[in-house]
Amino acid sequence: MDRGEITMERTLALIKPDATERNIIGDIISMIENKKFKITRLRSMMLTESKARQFYDVHSSKPFYNALIEYMTSGMIVAVELEKDNAVKDFRELIGDTNPVNAKDGTIRSKYAINQSSNSIHGSDSNENAIKEINLIFN
Ligand code: CMP
């Protein structure tokens, strides 16, 4: 029965090495909280190569895969589990296009990304991947 309840979704954000290196973790988290996402778990960590390869397995055939793994294991990241109605879609909107040249004004990547590799933040692209990624990162 539809009782008009809001279904809370979860998604995963990774604040990437280019952002932790530039001391903008707090700025990015403020942008996330200002958009009414609830932080349910947060952890700073170094990704192991094996975890990074598993995390980005969907891109394993892409020409940028090895560079992506090298970059994602090159420095500290901050993993943030987020809860909100329509979390996956709303968070993808907040982070903006992969390439900052194409990211809309007001998005995290438009403000902070350096290029499409060092693009400051990751957000899950579907509910299914959000669950997989959250389990991989927090377990
Ligand atoms: P992310 O949202 O974490 O998902 C996959 C990542 O691969 C992406 O952000 C970028 O960091 C990286 N990526 C995607 N496309 C390219 C590309 N053309 N060249 C280099 N890196 C890319």
Side-chain angles (χ1 to χ4, degrees), residues 53-130:
R53 286 191 180 278
Q54 259 180 283
F55 191 90
Y56 282 117
D57 187 54
V58 65
H59 295 300
S60 60
S61 62
K62 307 266 174 65
F64 58 81
Y65 180 65
N66 283 333
L68 173 62
I69 301 306
E70 196 172 323
Y71 161 64
M72 287 300 292
T73 55
S74 69
M76 193 179 80
I77 63 158
V78 177
V80 193
E81 183 191 62
L82 299 169
E83 193 176 79
K84 187 183 178 298
D85 55 311
N86 299 314
V88 169
K89 179 173 165 286
D90 288 0
F91 194 62
R92 294 285 288 189
E93 265 178 42
L94 176 60
I95 68 178
D97 196 276
T98 306
N99 189 337
V101 169
N102 302 322
K104 285 188 190 151
D105 282 357
T107 62
I108 294 172
R109 283 170 172 164
S110 124
K111 191 161 182 200
Y112 292 118
I114 298 166
N115 54 46
Q116 64 186 347
S117 310
S118 297
N119 62 0
S120 303
I121 187 125
H122 165 85
S124 311
D125 65 2
S126 66
N127 283 303
E128 191 190 347
N129 283 338

Coordinates of all heavy atoms in Angstrom, one line a residue, residues 53-130:
R53 N 40.9 -2.1 -8.1 CA 40.6 -2.8 -9.3 C 39.2 -3.4 -9.2 O 38.4 -3.4 -10.2 CB 41.6 -4.0 -9.5 CG 42.9 -3.4 -10.0 CD 43.9 -4.5 -10.5 NE 45.1 -3.8 -10.9 CZ 45.3 -3.3 -12.1 NH1 44.4 -3.4 -13.0 NH2 46.4 -2.7 -12.4
Q54 N 38.8 -3.9 -8.1 CA 37.4 -4.4 -7.9 C 36.4 -3.3 -8.1 O 35.4 -3.5 -8.7 CB 37.2 -5.0 -6.5 CG 37.3 -6.5 -6.4 CD 37.1 -6.9 -5.0 OE1 38.0 -6.8 -4.2 NE2 35.9 -7.4 -4.6
F55 N 36.7 -2.2 -7.4 CA 35.7 -1.1 -7.5 C 35.5 -0.6 -8.9 O 34.3 -0.3 -9.2 CB 36.3 0.1 -6.6 CG 35.4 1.2 -6.4 CD1 34.6 1.2 -5.2 CD2 35.2 2.3 -7.2 CE1 33.7 2.2 -5.0 CE2 34.3 3.3 -7.0 CZ 33.6 3.3 -5.8
Y56 N 36.5 -0.5 -9.7 CA 36.4 0.0 -11.1 C 36.4 -1.1 -12.1 O 36.7 -0.8 -13.3 CB 37.5 1.0 -11.3 CG 37.2 2.4 -10.7 CD1 38.1 2.9 -9.7 CD2 36.1 3.1 -11.1 CE1 37.8 4.2 -9.2 CE2 35.9 4.4 -10.6 CZ 36.7 4.9 -9.6 OH 36.5 6.1 -9.1
D57 N 36.0 -2.3 -11.7 CA 36.0 -3.5 -12.6 C 35.3 -3.2 -13.9 O 35.7 -3.6 -15.0 CB 35.5 -4.7 -11.9 CG 35.6 -5.9 -12.8 OD1 36.8 -6.2 -13.2 OD2 34.6 -6.6 -13.0
V58 N 34.2 -2.4 -13.8 CA 33.3 -2.1 -15.0 C 34.1 -1.4 -16.0 O 33.8 -1.4 -17.2 CB 32.1 -1.4 -14.5 CG1 32.4 0.0 -13.9 CG2 31.1 -1.2 -15.6
H59 N 35.2 -0.7 -15.6 CA 36.0 0.0 -16.6 C 37.3 -0.7 -17.0 O 38.2 -0.1 -17.6 CB 36.5 1.4 -16.0 CG 35.3 2.3 -15.7 ND1 34.4 2.7 -16.7 CD2 34.8 2.9 -14.6 CE1 33.5 3.5 -16.2 NE2 33.7 3.6 -14.9
S60 N 37.4 -2.0 -16.7 CA 38.7 -2.7 -16.9 C 39.1 -2.8 -18.3 O 40.3 -3.0 -18.6 CB 38.6 -4.1 -16.2 OG 37.6 -4.8 -16.8
S61 N 38.2 -2.7 -19.3 CA 38.6 -2.7 -20.7 C 38.9 -1.4 -21.3 O 39.3 -1.3 -22.4 CB 37.5 -3.4 -21.5 OG 36.4 -2.6 -21.4
K62 N 38.7 -0.3 -20.5 CA 38.9 1.0 -21.0 C 40.4 1.4 -21.0 O 41.2 0.9 -20.2 CB 38.2 2.1 -20.1 CG 36.8 1.8 -19.8 CD 35.9 2.5 -20.8 CE 34.4 2.1 -20.7 NZ 33.8 2.5 -19.4
P63 N 40.8 2.3 -22.0 CA 42.2 2.6 -22.1 C 42.8 3.3 -20.8 O 44.0 3.3 -20.6 CB 42.3 3.5 -23.3 CG 40.9 3.9 -23.6 CD 40.0 2.9 -23.0
F64 N 41.9 4.0 -20.1 CA 42.3 4.7 -18.9 C 42.4 3.9 -17.6 O 42.7 4.5 -16.6 CB 41.5 6.0 -18.7 CG 40.0 5.8 -18.6 CD1 39.5 5.4 -17.3 CD2 39.1 5.9 -19.6 CE1 38.1 5.2 -17.2 CE2 37.8 5.7 -19.5 CZ 37.3 5.3 -18.2
Y65 N 42.0 2.6 -17.7 CA 41.8 1.8 -16.5 C 43.1 1.8 -15.6 O 43.0 2.1 -14.4 CB 41.4 0.4 -16.9 CG 41.2 -0.5 -15.7 CD1 40.2 -0.3 -14.8 CD2 42.0 -1.6 -15.5 CE1 40.0 -1.2 -13.7 CE2 41.8 -2.5 -14.5 CZ 40.8 -2.3 -13.6 OH 40.6 -3.1 -12.5
N66 N 44.3 1.5 -16.2 CA 45.5 1.4 -15.3 C 45.8 2.7 -14.7 O 46.2 2.8 -13.5 CB 46.6 0.8 -16.1 CG 46.5 -0.7 -16.3 OD1 45.8 -1.4 -15.5 ND2 47.0 -1.3 -17.4
A67 N 45.7 3.8 -15.5 CA 46.0 5.1 -14.9 C 45.0 5.4 -13.8 O 45.4 6.0 -12.8 CB 45.9 6.1 -16.1
L68 N 43.8 5.0 -14.0 CA 42.7 5.3 -13.0 C 43.1 4.6 -11.7 O 43.0 5.2 -10.6 CB 41.4 4.8 -13.5 CG 40.2 4.8 -12.6 CD1 39.8 6.3 -12.1 CD2 38.9 4.2 -13.3
I69 N 43.5 3.3 -11.8 CA 43.9 2.5 -10.6 C 45.1 3.2 -9.9 O 45.1 3.3 -8.7 CB 44.2 1.1 -10.9 CG1 43.0 0.4 -11.6 CG2 44.6 0.3 -9.7 CD1 41.7 0.5 -10.8
E70 N 46.1 3.6 -10.7 CA 47.3 4.2 -10.1 C 46.9 5.5 -9.4 O 47.4 5.7 -8.3 CB 48.3 4.5 -11.3 CG 49.7 4.7 -10.8 CD 50.6 4.8 -11.9 OE1 50.5 4.1 -12.9 OE2 51.5 5.7 -11.8
Y71 N 46.1 6.3 -10.0 CA 45.6 7.5 -9.4 C 44.8 7.3 -8.1 O 45.1 7.9 -7.1 CB 44.8 8.3 -10.5 CG 44.0 9.4 -9.8 CD1 44.6 10.5 -9.2 CD2 42.6 9.4 -9.8 CE1 43.9 11.4 -8.5 CE2 41.9 10.3 -9.2 CZ 42.5 11.4 -8.6 OH 41.7 12.3 -7.9
M72 N 43.9 6.4 -8.2 CA 43.0 6.2 -7.0 C 43.7 5.6 -5.8 O 43.2 5.6 -4.7 CB 41.8 5.3 -7.4 CG 40.8 6.1 -8.2 SD 40.0 7.5 -7.5 CE 39.1 6.8 -6.1
T73 N 44.9 5.0 -6.1 CA 45.7 4.4 -5.0 C 46.9 5.3 -4.6 O 47.7 4.9 -3.8 CB 46.2 3.0 -5.3 OG1 47.0 3.1 -6.6 CG2 45.1 2.0 -5.5
S74 N 46.9 6.5 -5.2 CA 48.1 7.4 -5.0 C 48.0 8.3 -3.7 O 49.0 8.9 -3.4 CB 48.3 8.3 -6.2 OG 47.2 9.3 -6.3
G75 N 46.9 8.3 -3.1 CA 46.8 9.2 -1.9 C 45.5 8.8 -1.2 O 44.7 8.0 -1.6
M76 N 45.3 9.6 -0.1 CA 44.1 9.3 0.8 C 42.8 9.6 0.0 O 42.8 10.6 -0.7 CB 44.2 10.1 2.0 CG 43.3 9.7 3.1 SD 43.5 10.7 4.6 CE 42.5 12.2 4.1
I77 N 41.8 8.8 0.3 CA 40.5 9.1 -0.2 C 39.6 9.2 1.1 O 39.9 8.7 2.1 CB 39.9 8.1 -1.2 CG1 39.8 6.7 -0.5 CG2 40.7 8.0 -2.4 CD1 38.8 5.8 -1.2
V78 N 38.4 9.9 0.9 CA 37.4 9.8 2.0 C 36.1 9.3 1.4 O 35.6 9.8 0.4 CB 37.1 11.3 2.5 CG1 36.0 11.2 3.6 CG2 38.4 11.9 3.1
A79 N 35.7 8.1 2.0 CA 34.5 7.5 1.5 C 33.3 8.0 2.4 O 33.5 8.0 3.6 CB 34.6 6.0 1.7
V80 N 32.2 8.3 1.8 CA 31.1 8.9 2.5 C 29.8 8.2 2.0 O 29.5 8.2 0.8 CB 30.9 10.4 2.3 CG1 30.0 11.0 3.3 CG2 32.3 11.1 2.3
E81 N 29.2 7.5 3.0 CA 27.8 6.9 2.6 C 26.8 8.0 2.9 O 26.8 8.6 4.0 CB 27.6 5.7 3.5 CG 26.3 5.0 3.2 CD 26.0 3.9 4.3 OE1 25.8 4.3 5.4 OE2 25.9 2.7 3.9
L82 N 25.9 8.1 1.9 CA 24.9 9.2 2.0 C 23.5 8.7 1.9 O 23.2 7.7 1.1 CB 25.2 10.2 0.8 CG 26.5 10.9 0.8 CD1 26.7 11.6 -0.5 CD2 26.6 11.9 2.0
E83 N 22.6 9.3 2.6 CA 21.2 8.9 2.5 C 20.3 10.1 2.2 O 20.6 11.2 2.7 CB 20.8 8.4 3.9 CG 19.5 7.6 3.9 CD 19.2 7.1 5.3 OE1 18.8 7.8 6.2 OE2 19.5 5.9 5.5
K84 N 19.4 9.9 1.3 CA 18.4 11.0 0.9 C 17.4 10.3 0.0 O 17.6 9.3 -0.6 CB 19.2 12.0 0.1 CG 18.4 13.3 -0.3 CD 19.3 14.2 -1.1 CE 18.5 15.4 -1.5 NZ 17.4 15.0 -2.4
D85 N 16.2 10.9 -0.1 CA 15.3 10.4 -1.2 C 16.0 10.7 -2.5 O 16.6 11.8 -2.7 CB 13.9 11.1 -1.0 CG 13.9 12.6 -1.0 OD1 14.7 13.1 -0.3 OD2 13.2 13.2 -1.8
N86 N 15.9 9.8 -3.4 CA 16.6 9.9 -4.8 C 18.1 10.2 -4.7 O 18.6 11.0 -5.4 CB 15.9 11.0 -5.6 CG 14.4 10.7 -5.9 OD1 14.1 9.6 -6.3 ND2 13.6 11.7 -5.7
A87 N 18.7 9.6 -3.7 CA 20.1 9.9 -3.4 C 21.0 9.7 -4.7 O 21.9 10.6 -4.9 CB 20.6 9.0 -2.3
V88 N 20.8 8.6 -5.4 CA 21.8 8.3 -6.5 C 21.7 9.4 -7.6 O 22.7 10.0 -7.9 CB 21.4 6.9 -7.1 CG1 22.2 6.7 -8.4 CG2 21.8 5.8 -6.1
K89 N 20.4 9.7 -8.0 CA 20.2 10.7 -9.1 C 20.6 12.1 -8.6 O 21.3 12.8 -9.3 CB 18.8 10.6 -9.5 CG 18.4 11.6 -10.6 CD 17.0 11.4 -11.0 CE 16.4 12.5 -11.8 NZ 16.1 13.7 -11.0
D90 N 20.2 12.4 -7.4 CA 20.5 13.8 -6.9 C 22.0 14.0 -6.7 O 22.5 15.1 -6.9 CB 19.7 14.1 -5.6 CG 18.2 14.2 -5.8 OD1 17.8 14.1 -7.0 OD2 17.5 14.5 -4.8
F91 N 22.7 12.9 -6.3 CA 24.1 13.1 -6.0 C 24.9 13.2 -7.4 O 25.8 14.0 -7.5 CB 24.7 12.0 -5.2 CG 26.0 12.3 -4.7 CD1 26.2 13.4 -3.8 CD2 27.1 11.5 -5.0 CE1 27.5 13.8 -3.4 CE2 28.4 11.9 -4.6 CZ 28.6 13.0 -3.8
R92 N 24.4 12.4 -8.4 CA 25.1 12.5 -9.7 C 24.9 14.0 -10.2 O 25.8 14.5 -10.9 CB 24.5 11.5 -10.7 CG 24.7 10.1 -10.3 CD 26.1 9.6 -10.6 NE 26.4 9.5 -12.0 CZ 27.5 9.0 -12.5 NH1 28.5 8.5 -11.7 NH2 27.7 8.9 -13.8
E93 N 23.7 14.5 -10.0 CA 23.5 15.9 -10.4 C 24.4 16.9 -9.7 O 25.0 17.8 -10.3 CB 22.1 16.3 -10.1 CG 21.2 16.1 -11.4 CD 19.7 16.5 -11.1 OE1 19.5 17.5 -10.4 OE2 18.9 15.7 -11.5
L94 N 24.6 16.6 -8.4 CA 25.4 17.5 -7.6 C 26.9 17.4 -8.0 O 27.6 18.4 -7.9 CB 25.3 17.2 -6.1 CG 26.2 18.0 -5.1 CD1 25.9 19.5 -5.2 CD2 26.0 17.6 -3.7
I95 N 27.4 16.2 -8.4 CA 28.8 16.1 -8.7 C 29.1 16.7 -10.1 O 30.1 17.2 -10.4 CB 29.4 14.7 -8.5 CG1 28.9 13.7 -9.5 CG2 29.2 14.3 -7.1 CD1 29.5 12.3 -9.3
G96 N 28.2 16.5 -11.0 CA 28.3 17.1 -12.4 C 29.1 16.1 -13.3 O 29.5 15.0 -12.9
D97 N 29.2 16.5 -14.6 CA 29.8 15.7 -15.6 C 31.2 15.2 -15.2 O 32.0 16.0 -14.6 CB 29.9 16.5 -16.9 CG 30.1 15.6 -18.1 OD1 31.2 15.3 -18.4 OD2 29.1 15.2 -18.7
T98 N 31.6 14.0 -15.7 CA 32.9 13.5 -15.5 C 34.0 14.5 -15.9 O 35.0 14.6 -15.1 CB 33.1 12.2 -16.3 OG1 32.1 11.3 -16.1 CG2 34.5 11.5 -16.0
N99 N 33.8 15.1 -17.0 CA 34.8 16.1 -17.5 C 34.4 17.5 -17.0 O 33.4 18.0 -17.4 CB 34.9 16.0 -19.0 CG 36.0 16.9 -19.5 OD1 36.5 17.8 -18.9 ND2 36.5 16.6 -20.7
P100 N 35.2 18.1 -16.2 CA 34.8 19.4 -15.6 C 34.5 20.5 -16.6 O 33.7 21.4 -16.4 CB 36.0 19.8 -14.7 CG 37.2 19.0 -15.2 CD 36.6 17.7 -15.7
V101 N 35.0 20.3 -17.8 CA 34.7 21.3 -18.9 C 33.2 21.3 -19.2 O 32.6 22.3 -19.6 CB 35.6 20.9 -20.2 CG1 35.1 21.7 -21.4 CG2 37.0 21.1 -19.9
N102 N 32.6 20.1 -19.0 CA 31.2 19.9 -19.3 C 30.3 20.0 -18.1 O 29.1 19.9 -18.2 CB 30.9 18.6 -20.0 CG 31.7 18.5 -21.3 OD1 31.9 19.4 -22.0 ND2 32.3 17.3 -21.6
A103 N 30.9 20.2 -16.9 CA 30.1 20.2 -15.7 C 29.4 21.5 -15.5 O 30.0 22.6 -15.7 CB 31.0 19.9 -14.5
K104 N 28.1 21.4 -15.1 CA 27.3 22.6 -14.9 C 27.8 23.4 -13.7 O 28.3 22.9 -12.7 CB 25.9 22.2 -14.6 CG 25.1 21.7 -15.9 CD 23.6 21.6 -15.5 CE 22.9 20.8 -16.6 NZ 21.8 20.1 -16.2
D105 N 27.6 24.8 -13.8 CA 27.9 25.6 -12.7 C 27.2 25.2 -11.4 O 26.1 24.7 -11.5 CB 27.4 27.1 -13.0 CG 28.4 27.8 -13.9 OD1 29.4 27.2 -14.3 OD2 28.0 28.9 -14.3
G106 N 27.9 25.3 -10.3 CA 27.3 24.9 -9.0 C 27.6 23.5 -8.7 O 27.2 23.0 -7.6
T107 N 28.1 22.7 -9.6 CA 28.4 21.3 -9.3 C 29.8 21.2 -8.6 O 30.6 22.1 -8.8 CB 28.4 20.4 -10.5 OG1 29.4 20.8 -11.5 CG2 27.0 20.4 -11.2
I108 N 30.0 20.1 -8.0 CA 31.3 19.9 -7.3 C 32.5 19.8 -8.3 O 33.5 20.5 -8.1 CB 31.3 18.6 -6.4 CG1 30.3 18.8 -5.3 CG2 32.7 18.3 -5.8 CD1 30.0 17.5 -4.4
R109 N 32.2 19.1 -9.4 CA 33.3 19.0 -10.4 C 33.6 20.3 -11.1 O 34.7 20.6 -11.4 CB 33.0 17.9 -11.3 CG 33.3 16.5 -10.7 CD 32.8 15.4 -11.6 NE 33.2 14.1 -11.1 CZ 32.6 12.9 -11.5 NH1 31.6 13.0 -12.4 NH2 33.1 11.8 -11.1
S110 N 32.5 21.1 -11.3 CA 32.8 22.4 -12.0 C 33.6 23.3 -11.1 O 34.4 24.0 -11.5 CB 31.4 23.0 -12.3 OG 31.3 24.3 -11.8
K111 N 33.4 23.1 -9.7 CA 34.1 24.0 -8.8 C 35.6 23.5 -8.6 O 36.5 24.3 -8.5 CB 33.4 24.1 -7.5 CG 33.9 25.1 -6.6 CD 32.8 25.5 -5.5 CE 33.4 26.6 -4.6 NZ 32.7 26.7 -3.4
Y112 N 35.7 22.2 -8.5 CA 37.0 21.6 -7.9 C 37.8 20.7 -8.9 O 39.0 20.5 -8.7 CB 36.8 20.9 -6.6 CG 36.3 21.8 -5.5 CD1 35.1 21.7 -4.9 CD2 37.2 22.8 -5.1 CE1 34.7 22.5 -3.9 CE2 36.8 23.7 -4.1 CZ 35.6 23.5 -3.4 OH 35.2 24.3 -2.4
A113 N 37.1 20.0 -9.8 CA 37.9 19.0 -10.6 C 39.0 19.7 -11.4 O 38.8 20.8 -12.0 CB 36.9 18.3 -11.5
I114 N 40.1 19.0 -11.6 CA 41.2 19.5 -12.4 C 41.1 19.1 -13.8 O 41.3 19.9 -14.7 CB 42.5 19.0 -11.8 CG1 42.7 19.5 -10.3 CG2 43.7 19.3 -12.6 CD1 43.8 18.8 -9.5
N115 N 40.7 17.8 -14.0 CA 40.5 17.3 -15.4 C 39.6 16.0 -15.2 O 39.2 15.7 -14.1 CB 41.8 17.0 -16.1 CG 42.7 16.1 -15.3 OD1 42.3 15.1 -14.8 ND2 44.0 16.5 -15.2
Q116 N 39.4 15.3 -16.3 CA 38.5 14.1 -16.2 C 39.1 12.9 -15.5 O 38.4 12.0 -15.1 CB 37.9 13.7 -17.6 CG 38.9 13.2 -18.5 CD 38.2 12.9 -19.9 OE1 37.0 12.9 -20.0 NE2 39.0 12.7 -20.9
S117 N 40.4 12.9 -15.2 CA 41.0 11.9 -14.4 C 41.0 12.3 -12.9 O 40.5 11.6 -12.1 CB 42.4 11.6 -14.8 OG 42.5 11.4 -16.2
S118 N 41.6 13.5 -12.7 CA 41.6 14.0 -11.3 C 40.3 14.9 -11.1 O 40.4 16.1 -11.1 CB 42.8 14.9 -11.1 OG 44.0 14.1 -11.3
N119 N 39.2 14.2 -11.0 CA 37.9 14.9 -11.0 C 37.3 15.0 -9.6 O 36.1 15.2 -9.5 CB 37.0 14.4 -12.1 CG 36.6 13.0 -11.8 OD1 37.1 12.3 -10.9 ND2 35.8 12.4 -12.7
S120 N 38.1 14.9 -8.5 CA 37.7 15.2 -7.2 C 36.7 14.4 -6.4 O 36.8 14.2 -5.2 CB 37.2 16.7 -7.1 OG 38.2 17.6 -7.6
I121 N 35.8 13.8 -7.2 CA 34.7 13.1 -6.5 C 34.1 12.0 -7.4 O 34.1 12.1 -8.6 CB 33.6 14.1 -6.0 CG1 32.6 13.4 -5.1 CG2 32.9 14.8 -7.2 CD1 32.4 14.0 -3.8
H122 N 33.7 10.9 -6.7 CA 33.0 9.8 -7.4 C 31.6 9.7 -6.8 O 31.4 9.9 -5.6 CB 33.7 8.5 -7.2 CG 32.9 7.3 -7.5 ND1 32.8 6.8 -8.8 CD2 32.1 6.5 -6.7 CE1 32.0 5.7 -8.8 NE2 31.5 5.5 -7.6
G123 N 30.6 9.4 -7.6 CA 29.3 9.1 -7.1 C 28.7 7.8 -7.8 O 28.9 7.7 -9.0
S124 N 28.1 6.9 -7.0 CA 27.5 5.7 -7.7 C 26.6 6.1 -8.8 O 25.8 7.1 -8.7 CB 26.8 4.9 -6.6 OG 27.5 4.7 -5.4
D125 N 26.5 5.2 -9.8 CA 25.7 5.6 -11.0 C 24.3 4.8 -11.0 O 23.5 5.1 -11.9 CB 26.4 5.4 -12.3 CG 26.8 3.9 -12.6 OD1 26.5 3.1 -11.7 OD2 27.5 3.7 -13.6
S126 N 24.1 3.9 -10.0 CA 22.8 3.3 -10.0 C 22.6 2.7 -8.6 O 23.6 2.6 -7.8 CB 22.7 2.1 -11.0 OG 23.7 1.1 -10.5
N127 N 21.4 2.4 -8.2 CA 21.1 1.8 -6.9 C 21.9 0.5 -6.7 O 22.5 0.3 -5.6 CB 19.6 1.5 -6.7 CG 18.9 2.8 -6.4 OD1 19.2 3.5 -5.4 ND2 17.9 3.1 -7.2
E128 N 21.9 -0.3 -7.7 CA 22.6 -1.6 -7.7 C 24.1 -1.4 -7.4 O 24.7 -2.0 -6.5 CB 22.4 -2.3 -9.0 CG 22.8 -3.7 -9.0 CD 22.8 -4.3 -10.4 OE1 22.2 -3.6 -11.4 OE2 23.4 -5.4 -10.6
N129 N 24.7 -0.5 -8.1 CA 26.1 -0.2 -7.9 C 26.4 0.5 -6.6 O 27.4 0.2 -5.9 CB 26.7 0.6 -9.1 CG 27.0 -0.2 -10.3 OD1 27.1 -1.4 -10.2 ND2 27.0 0.4 -11.4
A130 N 25.5 1.3 -6.1 CA 25.6 1.9 -4.8 C 25.8 0.9 -3.7 O 26.7 0.9 -2.9 CB 24.5 2.9 -4.5

